[in-house]
Amino acid sequence: MIGIIHLVSGIKKFCEIKGENLVKSRNFSEWVFLDIVEKNLKEVIEKNTAKIRNSKIVFFGITEVTNVAINILSQKGISTYAVIDNNTSRRKMLMENVSVFKPQELLQPYDENILIFIGTPYFDEMSKQVEKLGYNRESHIIRFFNPQEMIKQYGLYNLKEVTEEESKKIQIDVLDYIKEICEKNGLRYYLAYGTLLGAVRHRGFIPWDDDIDIYMPIKDIYLLYNILQNDPKYEMAMPAKSEGYFYFYPRIIDKRTVLKIVDFPLLIKSGISIDIFPLVALGDELEQAKEKMDCAIEEQRHIKNMISTRKTPKEIQDRIEQFWTKQLDDQYLSKKYCGNIFGPYGDREILESYIFKKCISLRFEEKSFNGPGEYDLYLKSIYGNYMEYPPEDKRVSSHIWVGYWI
């Protein structure tokens, strides 16, 4: 559930908390990450100019790094042939007009003109997968970005990692705090996605999952944001409200922690947190609801492209604010359809609003929290036969972050 990040204030904040000169802020531009990726790509291009210009460029991995790299190559007149990923459902993260395939779909039969760019921490695993399809590492694979080197350079190596059990406890404590605030102030919240599924099927976390998501009405999100201003323990990062925060949805962060994210392995404006997804009205007709979902996806792509092309932070936040204030209808119970336009499930996110008209108390890790009254209809819409366990090889976490104590 982790998107675009803030690169400067998180670093400064961390250094102030630790009282150590781990990173000198003068070494950072506002888009230091883009600078480093561009520098790496320039070096790669200089060393392999002829080969690159005569090859079909394929990126392995749907990540923000890939977005940035595709844009930089395009500015240099080098087009991207395609992107491959083992999870093609994440394709909406990419800029428009980029073809996405599973590795075996694109790489078979063997094509000697393909050159594969990899910029994730899983370089060895991805390279082995490509080699099994008949491609030689030395002649067909280029590592254009090494996150591990970034981690060493910018000071995450000497921090104590948050264990899985600690992370779960932190999130339950955050959820408990949200519940307390909501009950005192008449605000609504609902368990969402795998958190709701975990409550119904496991009475707690799904054994192979490790995060908590909730829904809230937009007006209640703003009220919660105001209540949490200057909270000593938690920070609510809010789109267009929190300086340098470029996610599309808010989250409540435990200030004692910081994240290293696979795509952006810098100290960032985030930590162990709970994501809050806004429930918005989508209309009374199904086609109208689908059109709103499609428009929202296009807008998110546009904003991500603004980041990749180095628009100013103010331009980006102004665009996000415009999106939130002009395109999100908070009357989610007044129309037949509502949903989360930032969710990963496409049209399955279009839900009949009566699912949320009532709340029901559900057990989650020995505590009680609110779920949608018609949770069965919700879970069937999102997951189908939700009581059936996935195959064992699919019982793995999809998250790409590691938390540290600061």
Side-chain angles (χ1 to χ4, degrees), residues 4-47:
I4 307 297
I5 64 171
H6 180 50
L7 298 173
V8 178
S9 67
I11 295 167
K12 291 180 179 177
K13 172 185 171 185
F14 173 78
C15 293
E16 290 166 2
I17 292 171
K18 295 296 286 184
E20 300 171 4
N21 191 19
L22 294 178
V23 181
K24 293 187 182 297
S25 60
R26 68 171 183 269
N27 293 331
F28 287 83
S29 69
E30 286 181 317
W31 300 116
V32 59
F33 175 79
L34 300 182
D35 293 339
I36 293 168
V37 173
E38 182 170 24
K39 178 177 178 291
N40 289 358
L41 277 173
K42 282 182 177 178
E43 291 175 355
V44 167
I45 293 169
E46 286 174 3
K47 291 178 182 177

Side-chain angles (χ1 to χ4, degrees), residues 92-106:
K92 73 175 186 177
M93 288 178 58
L94 293 173
M95 294 180 288
E96 290 184 83
N97 304 319
V98 178
S99 300
V100 180
F101 303 90
K102 290 187 176 181
Q104 61 272 22
E105 292 174 343
L106 184 71

Side-chain angles (χ1 to χ4, degrees), residues 291-307:
E291 183 178 342
K292 283 195 173 185
M293 291 289 284
D294 290 342
C295 288
I297 290 171
E298 292 306 312
E299 180 64 16
Q300 290 172 70
R301 282 178 174 155
H302 177 80
I303 293 170
K304 287 181 178 180
N305 188 55
M306 289 178 70
I307 294 168

Side-chain angles (χ1 to χ4, degrees), residues 4 31 64 67 95 245-248 296-312 315-324 327 342:
I4 307 297
W31 300 116
E64 299 299 349
N67 260 339
M95 294 180 288
Y245 182 75
F246 302 142
Y247 292 90
F248 300 110
I297 290 171
E298 292 306 312
E299 180 64 16
Q300 290 172 70
R301 282 178 174 155
H302 177 80
I303 293 170
K304 287 181 178 180
N305 188 55
M306 289 178 70
I307 294 168
S308 297
T309 55
R310 302 175 188 241
K311 299 297 183 183
T312 67
E315 287 178 295
I316 296 165
Q317 285 204 297
D318 286 349
R319 184 78 182 213
I320 293 173
E321 182 174 20
Q322 183 182 45
F323 184 40
W324 263 73
Q327 295 193 38
F342 304 116

Side-chain angles (χ1 to χ4, degrees), residues 2 6 33 59 81 108 139 146 167 196 231 318 320 322 329 387 392 394:
I2 310 263
H6 180 50
F33 175 79
F59 284 89
Y81 182 66
Q108 292 292 298
S139 56
N146 186 347
S167 174
L196 179 60
D231 189 274
D318 286 349
I320 293 173
Q322 183 182 45
D329 183 348
M387 293 303 289
E392 286 193 23
K394 301 296 184 183

Side-chain angles (χ1 to χ4, degrees), residues 87-143:
N87 180 9
T88 56
S89 66
R90 302 173 66 209
R91 69 177 66 236
K92 73 175 186 177
M93 288 178 58
L94 293 173
M95 294 180 288
E96 290 184 83
N97 304 319
V98 178
S99 300
V100 180
F101 303 90
K102 290 187 176 181
Q104 61 272 22
E105 292 174 343
L106 184 71
L107 303 182
Q108 292 292 298
Y110 172 80
D111 186 340
E112 65 178 7
N113 295 315
I114 281 179
L115 185 61
I116 301 165
F117 281 57
I118 300 177
T120 82
Y122 308 111
F123 177 78
D124 287 335
E125 293 89 337
M126 289 176 161
S127 295
K128 288 176 183 176
Q129 185 177 354
V130 170
E131 286 174 325
K132 287 180 180 178
L133 295 173
Y135 293 80
N136 180 273
R137 185 178 299 207
E138 290 188 6
S139 56
H140 287 285
I141 300 174
I142 289 179
R143 184 173 202 170

